[in-house]
């Protein structure tokens, strides 16, 4: 099953790799005008740091007992579980590690049972009926995954539960964001291939299992079709009480998922290696023929535009434009509240530092405060109120028309942007304050802090406005373009093959008519989006 999916995926990826390389080299030669941010960026904000550590209880499947575990979350955000704090300090291997990509962090058995009930058709537990684990306290924390095994924890107070829930959500958020924006060829080639692969299967629109590193995303792609098949074959054969059947199904699903993941990992590495091996000669050919390739692309693009644009503009007028303002409204309110909350929290932290300097704190005391401030953006609990604001993002009423059944894709993206902006503000403040304090004594430290604070907040307001606009534009395109393609493909796609004849064979690797068709649709919408 994996081999079939990977074969189909690889064929598309090889094509998209050449297109992505063309776009990357062209961008490098022509240069892209982007707005310059005013805040500074830290190169590697988490170098040598760890995120969180503490103790909680874990449920062990093998002996059905709860055990106290020391949990460490390093800067990779992979959760490591140790027998004790001493075991961690002595550098022993963890008892278990959890990569949280694709998981959901839950805080109630009811919520968990609801998700479990959807996993096996025809086997429903009543809410409130005994699940297959008995929680050792009233404050559970559960990591649920649609395919992989689940993990059960609990703590003794509501305050602890809130804290650990924030930590687990942060691990999920970070692990889900597994595609590097620095890979200007591999990442676009990968995301476009996933999208085209799913579109060929009739799945347009955002996908909430685009989580983690490429092999994890590919395993999710395989499981998207394999999982229901497996369930229909194995589900009816499971024996025993309902809880036992649910538990056994979860173990089977996990075993299959792990096998699929090990296959996609090896096959994806081989695929990337094969494409990278061709990169140097392809790059050289692109640089030699770039002008001719661009001319050829414009010539063919104009022909495709003549076919597509009238239909696209008609669809846009009647079925998209009337909805743009309500989509924007749904996105703007919660996102803007999130950015305001980042500003407020940052401001409150600086007020604390100012108070300390007024109360006679010296430079050493200031150093301690600054050390704490430098991790602010990565403090799961302090950032939680910012993230919660964005979680109120709701697309209801728009699902009927656009395939956005789950706003989680946009929520996660906005939360990552909030964290980036917070760290940019913190880092800029650190740099400005260090420059200002060099060569001056401890007189007027409070005034200096105030001056730096005002400058950073001005820069933050400018940048956060730019970042939000870019986020809204990208989100609008992610919502509208799939809908447009789904509507236009039946009449336009059959016409595309005849345009291939207009492309020189030497350039045909870099110029794919399907991609050009999508670009025309994108351009038809972009004008409206820019206005919006």
């Amino acid at each position: 099953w994996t081999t079939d999916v990977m074969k189909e995926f690889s064929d598309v990826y090889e094509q998209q790799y050449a297109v992505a390389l063309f776009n990357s080299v062209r961008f490098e030669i022509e240069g892209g005008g982007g707005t310059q941010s005013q805040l500074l960026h830290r190169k590697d904000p988490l170098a040598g740091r760890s995120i969180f550590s503490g103790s909680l209880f874990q449920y062990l499947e093998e002996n059905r007992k709860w055990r106290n575990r020391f949990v460490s979350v390093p800067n990779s955000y992979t959760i490591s579980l140790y027998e004790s704090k001493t075991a961690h300090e002595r550098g022993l291997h963890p008892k278990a590690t959890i990569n949280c990509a694709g998981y959901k962090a839950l805080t109630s058995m009811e919520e968990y049972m609801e998700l479990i009930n959807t996993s096996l058709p025809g086997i429903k537990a009543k809410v409130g009926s005994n699940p297959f684990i008995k929680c050792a306290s009233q404050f559970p924390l559960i990591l649920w995954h649609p395919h992989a095994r689940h993990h059960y924890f609990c703590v003794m107070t509501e305050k602890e539960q809130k804290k650990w829930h924030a930590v687990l959500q942060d691990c999920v958020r970070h692990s889900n964001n597994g595609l590097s924006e620095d890979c200007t060829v591999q990442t676009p080639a990968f995301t476009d291939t996933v999208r085209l692969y799913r579109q060929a299967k009739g799945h347009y629109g955002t996908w909430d299992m685009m989580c983690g590193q490429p092999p994890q995303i590919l395993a999710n792609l395989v499981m998207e079709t394999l999982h229901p098949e497996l369930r229909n074959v194995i589900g009816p054969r499971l024996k025993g009480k309902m809880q036992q059947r649910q538990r056994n199904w979860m173990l089977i699903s996990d075993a299959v998922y792990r096998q699929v993941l090990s296959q996609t990992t090896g096959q994806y590495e081989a695929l990337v290696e094969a494409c990278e091996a061709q990169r140097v000669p392809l790059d050289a050919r692109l640089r030699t023929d770039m002008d001719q390739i661009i001319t050829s692309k414009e010539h063919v693009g104009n022909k495709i535009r003549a076919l597509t644009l009238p239909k696209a503009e008609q669809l846009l007028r009647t079925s998209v434009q009337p909805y743009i303002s309500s989509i924007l409204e749904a996105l703007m309110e919660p996102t803007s509240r999130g950015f305001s909350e980042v500003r407020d929290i940052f401001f409150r932290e600086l007020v604390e530092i100012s108070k300390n300097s007024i109360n006679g704190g010296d430079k050493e005391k200031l150093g301690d405060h600054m050390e704490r401030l430098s991790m602010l953006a990565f403090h799961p609990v302090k950032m939680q109120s910012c993230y919660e604001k964005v979680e109120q993002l709701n697309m209801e009423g728009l699902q009927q028309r656009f395939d956005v059944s789950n706003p989680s894709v946009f929520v996660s993206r906005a939360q990552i942007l909030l964290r980036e902006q917070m760290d940019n503000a913190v880092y800029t403040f650190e740099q400005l304050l260090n420059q200002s304090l060099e060569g001056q004594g401890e007189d007027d430290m409070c005034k200096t802090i105030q001056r730096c604070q005002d400058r950073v907040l001005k820069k933050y307001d400018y940048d956060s406005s730019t970042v939000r606009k870019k986020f809204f534009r990208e989100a609008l395109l992610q919502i509208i373009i799939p809908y447009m393609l789904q509507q236009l493909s039946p009449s336009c796609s059959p016409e595309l093959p005849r345009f291939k004849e207009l492309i020189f064979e030497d350039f045909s690797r870099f110029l794919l008519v399907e991609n050009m068709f999508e670009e025309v649709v994108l351009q038809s919408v972009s004008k409206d989006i820019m206005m919006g």
Side-chain angles (χ1 to χ4, degrees):
W1 201 289
T2 309
T3 311
D4 292 349
V5 172
M6 286 303 293
K7 169 80 184 79
E8 206 177 318
F9 181 88
S10 299
D11 292 346
V12 182
Y13 183 86
E14 281 170 18
Q15 294 178 335
Q16 293 304 316
Y17 184 88
V19 174
L21 184 63
F22 163 68
N23 290 332
S24 171
V25 173
R26 182 178 181 178
F27 184 80
E28 182 198 316
I29 292 170
E30 294 179 350
T35 42
Q36 201 56 43
S37 70
Q38 296 204 357
L39 294 169
L40 305 169
H41 302 269
R42 221 188 291 257
K43 276 264 187 300
D44 185 1
L46 289 172
R49 303 204 177 253
S50 66
I51 302 299
F52 210 82
S53 62
S55 294
L56 39 66
F57 292 97
Q58 183 191 19
Y59 180 73
L60 303 180
E61 293 266 354
E62 44 282 11
N63 58 16
R64 303 195 181 184
K65 286 191 167 59
W66 290 88
R67 286 277 179 269
N68 195 2
R69 288 283 181 256
F70 180 76
V71 179
S72 164
V73 180
N75 58 8
S76 64
Y77 284 85
T78 299
I79 296 173
S80 301
L81 298 148
Y82 295 87
E83 189 104 356
S84 63
K85 188 174 184 178
T86 318
H88 173 248
E89 283 165 354
R90 281 170 51 202
L92 299 179
H93 276 300
K95 283 275 175 195
T97 56
I98 306 168
N99 178 312
C100 292
Y103 276 90
K104 264 192 184 132
L106 313 173
T107 53
S108 80
M109 278 319 241
E110 288 73 26
E111 212 179 343
Y112 179 61
M113 289 313 292
E114 255 175 55
L115 287 167
I116 281 281
N117 282 338
T118 56
S119 67
L120 263 183
I123 302 181
K124 288 273 187 285
K126 294 185 187 74
V127 171
S129 74
N130 287 338
F132 47 78
I133 58 160
K134 287 201 169 42
C135 196
S137 79
Q138 295 167 280
F139 307 105
L141 291 148
I142 300 165
L143 282 172
W144 174 89
H145 191 286
H147 316 310
R149 71 178 293 179
H150 307 157
H151 302 276
Y152 313 97
F153 307 99
C154 73
V155 287
M156 301 321 280
T157 65
E158 191 179 350
K159 190 180 174 191
E160 281 282 287
Q161 187 191 38
K162 275 197 171 133
K163 176 182 78 177
W164 279 105
H165 188 226
V167 173
L168 294 178
Q169 282 181 306
D170 220 22
C171 292
V172 171
R173 189 178 300 119
H174 187 91
S175 308
N176 281 351
N177 187 36
L179 297 173
S180 165
E181 288 178 23
D182 297 335
C183 299
T184 55
V185 178
Q186 283 179 25
T187 295
F190 181 80
T191 50
D192 283 344
T193 306
V194 171
R195 191 175 49 74
L196 291 166
Y197 176 91
R198 294 188 77 249
Q199 281 176 194
K201 304 275 179 282
H203 302 301
Y204 287 77
T206 55
W207 183 39
D208 58 354
M209 287 309 288
M210 189 87 173
C211 303
Q213 305 284 335
Q216 290 169 306
I217 294 169
L218 288 169
N220 295 335
L221 201 59
V222 174
M223 294 300 276
E224 191 172 25
T225 44
L226 175 56
H227 208 244
E229 290 279 334
L230 209 56
R231 200 170 54 186
N232 295 339
V233 174
I234 291 174
R237 297 179 186 181
L238 294 170
K239 299 283 182 277
K241 286 186 174 169
M242 179 194 58
Q243 285 89 346
Q244 191 55 42
R245 282 183 284 169
Q246 286 175 331
R247 188 163 177 268
N248 288 345
W249 168 243
M250 187 177 72
L251 295 172
I252 292 165
S253 173
D254 174 58
V256 172
Y257 178 72
R258 275 182 302 160
Q259 193 180 350
V260 168
L261 182 57
S262 78
Q263 292 168 336
T264 56
T265 303
Q267 291 177 29
Y268 178 69
E269 278 170 15
L271 172 64
V272 170
E273 211 173 292
C275 288
E276 285 292 319
Q278 300 174 34
R279 183 169 181 158
V280 173
L282 282 178
D283 191 293
R285 194 180 341 153
L286 275 169
R287 288 175 196 279
T288 309
D289 298 335
M290 183 56 84
D291 289 346
Q292 288 168 282
I293 297 173
I294 291 172
T295 307
S296 175
K297 183 178 179 181
E298 281 170 2
H299 174 64
V300 180
N302 286 335
K303 304 268 185 204
I304 294 176
R305 193 172 287 109
L307 165 80
T308 310
L309 211 54
K311 297 177 185 178
E313 286 177 340
Q314 168 68 17
L315 181 67
L316 203 56
R317 270 196 308 277
T318 56
S319 307
V320 174
Q321 276 166 344
Y323 294 90
I324 286 181
S325 57
S326 31
I327 300 173
L328 269 176
E329 218 169 286
L331 290 165
M332 279 169 129
E333 180 81 15
T335 308
S336 299
R337 279 206 300 264
F339 277 91
S340 298
E341 184 72 3
V342 166
R343 191 187 198 279
D344 292 348
I345 287 174
F346 176 66
F347 179 71
R348 283 203 295 273
E349 291 286 327
L350 297 192
V351 167
E352 282 304 306
I353 293 176
S354 290
K355 270 190 200 161
N356 166 65
S357 68
I358 292 171
N359 297 335
D362 55 13
K363 276 192 177 177
E364 197 175 315
K365 207 60 177 296
L366 178 66
D368 295 343
H369 270 285
M370 293 302 289
E371 182 60 29
R372 278 203 300 278
L373 180 72
S374 75
M375 274 301 280
L376 178 60
F378 301 93
H379 195 297
V381 181
K382 285 183 178 175
M383 287 294 290
Q384 183 63 6
S385 60
C386 309
Y387 298 147
E388 281 171 352
K389 295 275 186 282
V390 189
E391 272 159 19
Q392 291 156 15
L393 200 152
N394 189 340
M395 294 282 183
E396 256 171 47
L398 297 166
Q399 283 106 315
Q400 290 77 20
R401 177 157 298 267
F402 305 104
D403 189 3
V404 280
S405 51
N406 196 331
S408 66
V409 174
F410 306 112
V411 171
S412 305
R413 180 69 192 141
Q415 290 172 334
I416 294 288
L417 293 172
L418 293 178
R419 187 169 72 190
E420 282 174 6
Q421 287 303 299
M422 176 67 96
D423 195 53
N424 291 349
V426 167
Y427 181 55
T428 307
F429 179 75
E430 287 171 358
Q431 298 299 309
L432 286 178
L433 188 62
N434 283 339
Q435 286 165 12
S436 306
L437 290 177
E438 272 171 23
Q440 83 162 55
E442 286 174 18
D443 317 334
D444 268 353
M445 206 196 295
C446 185
K447 268 192 186 147
T448 306
I449 291 170
Q450 202 84 49
R451 263 201 315 275
C452 295
Q453 169 192 301
D454 293 345
R455 282 180 66 190
V456 173
L457 287 173
K458 264 198 189 113
K459 290 172 187 289
Y460 174 83
D461 291 339
Y462 175 86
D463 275 13
S464 70
S465 165
T466 312
V467 168
R468 268 185 319 216
K469 281 178 190 157
K470 184 169 183 264
F471 167 69
F472 296 144
R473 280 200 292 271
E474 284 173 0
L476 272 172
L477 292 175
Q478 274 183 287
I479 292 166
I480 292 166
I481 296 296
Y483 169 76
M484 300 265 301
L485 292 175
Q486 193 171 16
Q487 301 299 313
L488 294 169
S489 288
S491 65
C492 295
S493 291
E495 301 281 339
L496 294 177
R498 64 186 167 94
F499 296 110
K500 286 182 185 169
E501 296 154 23
L502 304 173
I503 300 167
F504 288 128
E505 200 172 328
D506 287 0
F507 304 160
S508 61
R509 284 200 68 176
F510 309 115
L511 304 178
L512 299 180
V513 289
E514 292 80 4
N515 287 62
M516 286 195 251
F517 163 63
E518 294 200 350
E519 275 178 34
V520 169
V521 175
L522 181 66
Q523 286 156 4
S524 74
V525 177
S526 292
K527 205 167 58 241
D528 277 59
I529 302 295
M530 288 305 185
M531 300 294 285

